[in-house]
Amino acid sequence: MADSLVKIYQQNNLTNSEKLELLRNLSFNEVTNLQLSMQYADELIALSKLEKNNLYLYRGYYQKGNKNRLTGNLNKALNDFFNGGKAAIKAKSIKGEGTSYMAIADVYSVMGNSTNAEIYYEKSIQLLRKANDPISLASALLNAGDEYSKNKKFALALSYFKEAGVIFEKINYSSGTAYTLGNIGMVYAKTGKSDLAKPYITKAIKILEDVEDYYAISDYLVYMSDIYLTQNNWPAALRYAKRSLKLAQDYGLKEQISNSNLKISELYKKANNPEESFKYYKNHIAYRDSITNLKAVQQMADIRTNYEVSQKQIEVDLLEKDAEIQKLKDKKQQNIIYASGISLLLVLVITIGFYRRYKFVKKTNSIIEEEKNRSNNLLLNILPEETAVELKKNGKVEAKKFDSVTVLFADFEGFTKYSEKLSPEKLVESIDFYFSKFDTIMEKYNLEKIKTVGDCYMCAGGLPFPTQDHAHKIVLAALEIAEFVEASKNVTTENQTRFEIRIGINTGPLVAGVVGIKKFSYDIWGDTVNIASRMESNSEAGKINISEFTYNIIKNDFDCQYRGEFEVKNKGMMKMYFVTALLIPIKKYSSTNELVLNETEKF
């Protein structure tokens, strides 16, 4: 199905709703290449926003969320599903809203938050019973039953599984039937009925192999391992567990990789082989933490708790001081009647009290001002200054169109190959070494860093304030980046790895704005951005590849090598150029952000 749809997609003859539906089908049916599926989903989301089509916007977020969940990016998946739910409500789609709630419940289930998972499953089922969509309803029943099974509510789980199975059989939906059989088998396995469990799970695996649904197969193989273990067949149990692990590794299923490693660790422990058990247990922990990010969650909880406690403490302290002052005032009025000496003493006590309160208020205001400044600085690190001011003033940021902006993408050559061999700490330290220098270069030329995604670095010139020289600045920055990366090859440390880099640049109109209502992100959209990305992917190691649009602007100031015309996805043939050097005179920048001339030099 996916291969047939790709041929239609490559012809690029469809528009409007027909293209939206094609992208949705491409993302759904591409089950062997999750990254390609996510690209289709991103394109669907962008096009839906341009078309202002909330129904397909929900569908785009739903497909993207599913792929993020399968690859273990649970926070991103949860955000996608919530965004999809909002779009479905705007589109007045009961099915879309119910399906989004089901997906949200799935993510909470993986995170281990059973309370939220059960709440959203029930909300989903209530809506989908009204939506006349048997597949979605049966899927919600199936997933809810799985959650109840995990929480040892086996009777309720079997009830949901059987209702889902009836629906799937009625509409002849083979994948759903397989999940129902497998999950019923898992309930029997958990309740000690191994002889009943084995045929159900075996039949489920056979159906899923025919439709190449490897996510569930990996889970069911682990349960088959458990069944054989209860029958004291250790070799068969280990064989099924390792088969599950290999399948999960082949298709990048992080949750299943974690579960399979844990099962193999338990098997080796039972076999009195602590070394092998410990090796697989470490792998389990590494993948488990990469999914749930427990440390980050705990840190955020600590930050929130500390903040709330500090706020309450300030309120208590102020109330105590006010009560103390009032008490002193009352005592002063009473003692004036008895003796002037006591009155003088009370005046002194009151004065001291006011002074202490003054110092306390002053210190408190200082702390509040410091925290306010820290928040402002943090916001300016995330967003451009003009955008941050607009966000604080209005609570939102309107998207803006820019007629001419130059966009740069930089990506490390062979990063995936290196990342498989490096420890997480060494990988992060190596990336930080480069990106920190890139940030310094962006600041030098007053360019705007947009974001980093993995090993990809994205920046732009000519926004948020339009300028005339943004193309020259970006190319100068690109030359410095390439020069730094080349020079870094000769400077190595024990904890860092060196890479080659590809750079791509394009100039044109685009739209910029802030995404989301929490964890704000300043981003840019449009063909200009897509073409810049294509320039990077068509570049070579150590080279700066620019489009014809950029070349026509900077050709009098830079030495460029014409490469010819290349096929660009969705754009046809495009001319490309390598920037090799800066011609005379060199252009540097004054404190007023204007170009000034300096000495002659060539890179």
Side-chain angles (χ1 to χ4, degrees), residues 73-359:
N73 296 316
L74 299 187
N75 287 332
K76 291 183 179 179
L78 201 59
N79 188 57
D80 290 333
F81 290 138
F82 274 116
N83 285 334
K86 293 175 185 176
I89 292 172
K90 291 181 181 178
K92 298 181 179 179
S93 170
I94 296 176
K95 172 189 171 183
E97 185 181 359
T99 305
S100 296
Y101 288 155
M102 174 176 61
I104 290 167
D106 290 342
V107 177
Y108 277 130
S109 176
V110 175
M111 287 179 166
N113 190 334
S114 295
T115 301
N116 282 0
E118 291 183 6
I119 290 171
Y120 276 96
Y121 278 133
E122 294 302 330
K123 291 175 68 174
S124 170
I125 291 170
Q126 290 176 13
L127 286 169
L128 293 174
R129 289 192 188 279
K130 306 174 185 177
N132 192 27
D133 181 2
I135 291 181
S136 296
L137 174 59
S139 299
L141 291 165
L142 182 69
N143 293 359
D146 186 51
E147 186 64 24
Y148 288 126
S149 175
K150 286 189 342 187
N151 298 329
K152 299 183 179 180
K153 301 175 182 179
F154 298 121
L156 188 57
L158 282 174
S159 172
Y160 275 55
F161 289 151
K162 289 177 181 178
E163 184 181 354
V166 170
I167 297 173
F168 284 133
E169 286 284 351
K170 186 176 181 180
I171 61 177
N172 196 28
Y173 192 71
S174 57
S175 292
T177 301
Y179 283 136
T180 303
L181 292 170
N183 285 10
I184 292 174
M186 288 195 296
V187 171
Y188 285 139
K190 289 177 181 179
T191 53
K193 301 175 182 177
S194 298
D195 292 337
L196 289 175
K198 192 187 297 184
Y200 276 97
I201 297 176
T202 301
K203 187 174 180 180
I205 291 174
K206 177 64 174 65
I207 297 173
L208 292 169
E209 284 177 338
D210 292 339
V211 297
E212 299 182 353
D213 190 343
Y214 302 109
Y215 180 88
I217 295 175
S218 182
D219 275 343
Y220 294 148
L221 289 171
V222 171
Y223 274 92
M224 287 295 288
S225 176
D226 280 331
I227 292 171
Y228 280 106
L229 186 61
T230 59
Q231 297 174 348
N232 295 319
N233 189 340
W234 189 88
L238 182 63
R239 185 168 63 253
Y240 272 93
K242 287 192 173 181
R243 182 181 167 193
S244 172
L245 177 60
K246 184 178 186 307
L247 196 65
Q249 289 173 332
D250 289 344
Y251 294 94
L253 308 175
K254 289 186 178 180
E255 182 187 358
Q256 279 64 37
I257 292 173
S258 174
N259 294 339
S260 300
N261 273 295
L262 178 60
K263 177 52 61 181
I264 296 172
S265 172
E266 292 172 352
L267 290 171
Y268 276 118
K269 183 179 179 181
K270 290 181 180 294
N272 294 320
N273 189 339
E275 291 184 1
E276 286 295 306
S277 176
F278 182 62
K279 180 178 76 174
Y280 284 99
Y281 188 74
K282 287 197 298 183
N283 292 339
H284 156 66
I285 293 298
Y287 277 95
R288 182 199 67 184
D289 289 351
S290 72
I291 295 171
T292 58
N293 199 7
L294 295 177
K295 184 177 180 181
V297 171
Q298 185 60 49
Q299 286 176 344
M300 290 304 295
D302 290 343
I303 290 170
R304 180 177 177 180
T305 300
N306 292 339
Y307 172 76
E308 291 178 351
V309 169
S310 66
Q311 292 298 101
K312 289 297 182 183
Q313 187 60 50
I314 289 173
E315 292 176 9
V316 169
D317 289 345
L318 288 172
L319 288 172
E320 289 178 349
K321 289 295 180 183
D322 287 339
E324 180 182 348
I325 291 170
Q326 187 60 45
K327 183 179 179 180
L328 290 174
K329 287 182 177 180
D330 294 342
K331 188 175 181 180
K332 173 189 171 185
Q333 294 296 328
Q334 181 182 2
N335 288 341
I336 286 176
I337 301 172
Y338 299 107
S340 60
I342 296 176
S343 298
L344 292 174
L345 180 60
L346 285 174
V347 169
L348 179 61
V349 171
I350 292 172
T351 302
I352 294 173
F354 274 116
Y355 176 72
R356 291 177 61 188
R357 187 176 187 278
Y358 165 77
K359 288 184 67 176

Side-chain angles (χ1 to χ4, degrees), residues 428-496:
V428 171
E429 186 171 347
S430 299
I431 293 297
D432 182 67
F433 168 79
Y434 287 102
F435 284 178
S436 296
K437 178 62 177 179
F438 295 179
D439 288 347
T440 301
I441 294 172
M442 294 306 108
E443 189 173 356
K444 173 182 176 181
Y445 291 101
N446 290 309
L447 301 172
E448 193 67 32
K449 173 184 175 182
I450 303 301
K451 61 183 175 183
T452 60
V453 181
D455 63 321
C456 178
Y457 189 96
M458 178 183 177
C459 65
L463 54 77
F465 302 102
T467 61
Q468 298 297 320
D469 52 4
H470 52 79
H472 295 77
K473 288 182 179 180
I474 283 286
V475 176
L476 285 172
L479 287 168
E480 284 203 28
I481 289 173
E483 185 179 19
F484 169 74
V485 172
E486 182 64 24
S488 298
K489 295 178 186 177
N490 301 320
V491 182
T492 59
T493 66
E494 183 178 348
N495 293 321
Q496 294 178 4

